[in-house]
Amino acid sequence: MLHPDIYQQGLFTLLGTALVKMGVSLPLLTTWMPILIAPLLAVPVILIGRLYGSTLWGFCAGLLAVTATSYFSRTTAGYFD
């Protein structure tokens, strides 16, 4: 078997698969899931800032990582905006 099983891909793959099986359309899911999941990117960045001794800088870096235009423009919603 050349491809890993779906259960070895991670939480976001399982979440997307579960939502599609529950009836959410795939275009709707691919449009909105990156926008709703993006704030979770800030959590590890803030924690890395805390490791370096500055929670404020980690928070600012987390805000920059989530709200940067390069991230949003690569999402489907940013493309249609």
Side-chain angles (χ1 to χ4, degrees):
M1 186 170 171
L2 296 176
H3 298 289
D5 193 9
I6 190 172
Y7 299 108
Q8 297 173 350
Q9 294 296 322
L11 180 63
F12 296 134
T13 302
L14 290 175
L15 177 64
T17 305
L19 288 172
V20 168
K21 288 187 179 191
M22 288 173 44
V24 178
S25 69
L26 190 61
L28 183 70
L29 184 70
T30 57
T31 301
W32 289 103
M33 193 167 170
I35 296 170
L36 298 176
I37 299 297
L40 296 177
L41 178 71
V43 174
V45 176
I46 293 171
L47 293 176
I48 290 171
R50 289 187 69 187
L51 285 175
Y52 281 121
S54 178
T55 306
L56 178 64
W57 280 106
F59 180 74
C60 292
L63 284 176
L64 183 64
V66 171
T67 60
T69 57
S70 63
Y71 175 79
F72 183 69
S73 67
R74 287 183 174 91
T75 62
T76 308
Y79 174 76
F80 288 120
D81 187 28

